[in-house]
Amino acid sequence: MVAIRNKDSYLGVFYRRLAGRRGGRRAIVAVMHKFAIAIWHVLHDKVPYRELGADHFTRRAPERAMRRVIKEANSLGRPSASTRSTRLTNPPRSFEPPQSP
């Protein structure tokens, strides 16, 4: 399907999100279902197809997207923006280097 190959389309992003959780075959069927529903609305309501865009899920729930990014950064071993800002605003009062025996 051409719709899932395009990385900047709603259906492509939907496919990749679902394929990670449910598998490629089920994700393709789900995309085909969404596509069939969109075709029905276009034909029934006589309105043009409106592409929601690749950032639809981010715009719909920005706090969920931020949690996902922070979780991914933490899994890579990088401090997240929230912990980094806390570390910079509350530095230790005195720093003593470790002493060698």
Side-chain angles (χ1 to χ4, degrees):
M1 252 181 122
V2 176
I4 61 176
R5 289 185 192 159
N6 187 358
K7 294 182 181 180
D8 296 333
S9 71
Y10 166 75
L11 293 174
V13 172
F14 178 75
Y15 169 78
R16 280 185 287 288
R17 286 170 51 104
L18 201 57
R21 293 192 315 261
R22 304 284 292 176
R25 287 184 181 174
R26 286 185 183 220
I28 286 178
V29 171
V31 168
M32 289 175 12
H33 183 164
K34 278 200 175 280
F35 202 56
I37 291 172
I39 290 171
W40 184 87
H41 281 287
V42 166
L43 295 175
H44 181 266
D45 300 337
K46 296 182 174 78
V47 294
Y49 175 71
R50 186 175 55 122
E51 172 65 34
L52 295 175
D55 61 340
H56 171 74
F57 296 107
T58 306
R59 284 184 285 132
R60 188 180 71 177
E63 63 280 350
R64 184 183 298 169
M66 184 56 73
R67 280 196 315 262
R68 183 184 55 79
V69 168
I70 290 172
K71 183 178 177 182
E72 186 175 338
N74 287 337
S75 72
L76 293 173
R78 305 230 184 238
S80 64
S82 61
T83 58
R84 190 180 317 131
S85 64
T86 304
R87 255 191 255 146
L88 293 177
T89 57
N90 299 325
R93 294 183 185 240
S94 64
F95 174 73
E96 297 177 4
Q99 298 178 3
S100 345

